[in-house]
C-alpha cells in the first residue's frame, strides 16, 4: 500500500496492536514488530487502528504521522458495543468500551486517555449516563470523563482509594443490577475491588479478571499478574460462574472473543476448574502469555 510502517522501541508489548492487526503485528520477545506492510485496504485499516489505539504511539510511518482521517475509533465490535481505542499510558494500555442501551443512552466501561475531542466523539453515540470502572488499574480519567458527560462514576469499595470521589460504590460480593439488563458482579482476585459487568446476558466486560488467550485458545486469567489473591480469584469465579451467561468476552487486557453462549459456559467451567488448582506466584510480567 506504499506505507512504510514500523513499530518503534517505545513499545511495551501490551498486546493491543496485535489484537487489532493480527498477522501484521506480532510478538517478538516481550514487544511487538510489524512483520510485513499492509497489502490492501483492509490490512491498512487494521494497522491504522493499531496506531490510534497504541498508548505509546509506537505504530508509526517513516513518511509521517498517521492520517487523522484514518482514525476508526470508536470502532464497532457489534451493534451494541464499540471499542474506544486511544488507550492510555495511565491504565497500562487497557481497552475500554462504549455499551449502547435500548433507550439510546451509552455506558463507558473503563477509560481511554482523556481528551475533550475524544469525549465529544464518544458522546455522538448517545448520552453517556455511567462510567463503570472494573478495578483500580483502569480508574485514571474516570472522574474527568464522568464530569464531562454528567455521568455517574462507579467503582467497588475494595478499590475505592483509586477513585475516592466515585458517585456510586459497589459493596460486598453480591451481584447488583445497576441498570436494566446490566449487572455488576464483584470478583475480588486480580485486585480486591475487581468487578465484572454483565450486559444483556450477552456481553461480559471482565476488566483484568479473565480474557481470551490466543496462546491457549481458551478463557484465561492473568495468574502471573495478580495483585491481590489468586485464591480469592478462584473462589470468586466459582461463586460467580453459575450466574453468568454471555457470548462476548470483552476484557481490559487480553483478547476479545465471540462464541455461542453454550461454548462460553463450557469455557468458563473449565477455567473455574483450572484456577482452583493454581497456587500463588510472584508477579512476573515476563511469564505472562497472551
Amino acid at each position: 500500500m506504499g506505507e512504510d510502517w514500523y513499530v518503534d522501541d517505545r513499545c511495551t508489548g501490551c498486546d493491543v496492536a496485535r489484537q487489532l492487526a493480527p498477522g501484521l503485528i506480532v510478538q517478538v520477545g516481550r514487544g511487538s514488530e510489524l512483520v510485513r506492510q499492509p497489502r490492501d485496504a483492509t490490512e491498512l485499516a487494521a494497522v491504522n487502528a493499531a496506531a490510534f489505539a497504541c498508548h505509546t504511539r509506537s505504530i508509526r510511518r517513516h513518511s509521517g504521522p498517521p492520517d487523522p482521517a484514518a482514525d476508526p475509533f470508536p470502532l464497532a465490535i457489534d451493534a451494541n458495543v464499540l471499542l474506544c481505542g486511544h488507550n492510555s499510558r495511565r491504565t497500562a494500555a487497557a481497552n475500554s468500551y462504549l455499551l449502547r442501551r435500548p433507550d439510546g443512552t451509552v455506558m463507558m466501561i473503563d477509560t481511554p486517555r482523556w481528551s475533550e475531542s475524544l469525549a465529544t466523539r464518544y458522546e455522538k453515540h448517545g448520552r453517556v449516563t455511567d462510567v463503570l470502572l472494573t478495578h483500580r488499574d483502569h480508574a485514571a480519567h474516570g472522574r474527568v470523563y464522568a464530569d464531562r458527560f454528567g455521568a455517574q462514576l462507579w467503582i467497588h469499595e475494595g478499590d475505592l482509594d483509586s477513585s475516592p470521589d466515585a458517585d456510586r460504590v459497589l459493596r460486598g460480593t453480591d451481584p447488583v443490577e445497576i441498570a436494566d439488563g446490566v449487572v455488576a458482579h464483584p470478583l475480588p482476585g486480580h485486585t480486591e475491588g475487581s468487578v465484572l459487568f454483565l450486559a444483556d446476558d450477552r456481553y461480559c466486560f471482565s476488566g483484568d479478571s479473565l480474557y481470551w488467550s490466543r496462546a491457549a485458545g481458551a478463557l484465561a486469567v492473568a495468574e502471573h499478574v495478580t495483585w491481590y489473591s489468586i485464591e480469592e480469584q478462584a473462589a470468586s469465579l466459582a461463586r460467580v460462574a453459575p450466574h453468568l451467561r454471555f457470548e462476548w468476552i470483552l476484557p481490559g487486557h487480553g483478547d476479545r472473543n465471540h462464541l455461542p453462549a453454550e461454548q462460553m459456559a463450557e469455557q468458563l467451567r473449565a477455567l473455574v476448574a483450572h484456577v482452583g488448582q493454581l497456587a500463588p506466584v510472584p508477579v512476573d510480567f515476563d511469564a505472562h502469555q497472551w
Side-chain angles (χ1 to χ4, degrees):
M1 299 293 291
E3 302 285 0
D4 192 12
W5 291 93
Y6 68 101
V7 180
D8 73 18
D9 60 7
R10 296 175 298 169
C11 173
T12 64
C14 71
D15 195 57
V16 169
R18 302 191 292 262
Q19 296 164 17
L20 291 165
L24 297 171
I25 300 174
V26 304
Q27 184 169 346
V28 177
R30 299 309 300 174
S32 295
E33 289 188 11
L34 190 137
V35 293
R36 65 174 175 82
Q37 296 296 312
R39 295 171 179 164
D40 57 29
T42 298
E43 291 188 348
L44 179 59
V47 175
N48 269 302
F52 285 101
C54 177
H55 70 298
T56 56
R57 295 297 188 261
S58 291
I59 317 300
R60 305 177 65 83
R61 299 185 306 171
H62 289 295
S63 55
D67 180 0
D71 180 352
F73 295 110
L75 179 66
I77 292 174
D78 83 347
N80 298 312
V81 175
L82 300 99
L83 183 67
C84 291
H86 297 275
N87 300 35
S88 171
R89 291 174 183 258
R90 293 180 58 193
T91 63
N95 288 310
S96 56
Y97 304 90
L98 298 177
L99 171 67
R100 289 188 173 118
R101 305 312 299 142
D103 64 359
T105 62
V106 175
M107 291 178 165
M108 175 178 277
I109 297 90
D110 288 335
T111 59
R113 67 177 177 85
W114 163 250
S115 162
E116 172 62 32
S117 62
L118 286 176
T120 299
R121 189 186 305 182
Y122 298 141
E123 69 181 355
K124 289 180 180 178
H125 294 270
R127 181 174 64 87
V128 182
T129 59
D130 299 88
V131 177
L132 311 179
L133 299 177
T134 61
H135 65 296
R136 66 170 63 248
D137 304 348
H138 300 177
H141 320 298
R143 184 73 266 165
V144 66
Y145 268 113
D147 288 347
R148 169 62 176 76
F149 296 138
Q152 295 189 104
L153 180 66
W154 294 74
I155 199 164
H156 191 274
E157 62 180 340
D159 286 357
L160 183 58
D161 61 326
S162 68
S163 296
D165 53 358
D167 305 296
R168 303 297 298 272
V169 180
L170 298 160
R171 302 187 186 278
T173 58
D174 289 339
V176 177
E177 186 171 26
I178 63 173
D180 188 25
V182 182
V183 179
H185 291 271
L187 208 152
H190 175 72
T191 65
E192 185 177 2
S194 288
V195 179
L196 177 155
F197 293 99
L198 188 71
D200 307 324
D201 288 338
R202 179 170 171 82
Y203 308 106
C204 178
F205 298 96
S206 57
D208 290 350
S209 292
L210 58 152
Y211 68 100
W212 186 262
S213 168
R214 295 190 304 277
L219 286 179
V221 300
E223 60 188 277
H224 296 283
V225 191
T226 298
W227 302 110
Y228 181 54
S229 168
I230 196 67
E231 295 104 323
E232 286 291 331
Q233 190 162 3
S236 295
L237 283 170
R239 182 189 72 254
V240 169
H243 306 287
L244 300 182
R245 179 179 175 84
F246 60 92
E247 300 173 15
W248 278 98
I249 182 70
L250 300 162
H253 292 106
D255 218 344
R256 299 168 288 281
N257 199 20
H258 179 229
L259 291 173
E262 293 75 14
Q263 292 185 34
M264 278 296 189
E266 293 174 6
Q267 287 282 335
L268 195 56
R269 285 191 290 270
L271 181 64
V272 169
H274 171 70
V275 178
Q277 299 174 0
L278 296 177
V281 295
V283 171
D284 182 358
F285 287 94
D286 289 339
H288 182 67
Q289 294 293 318
W290 294 109

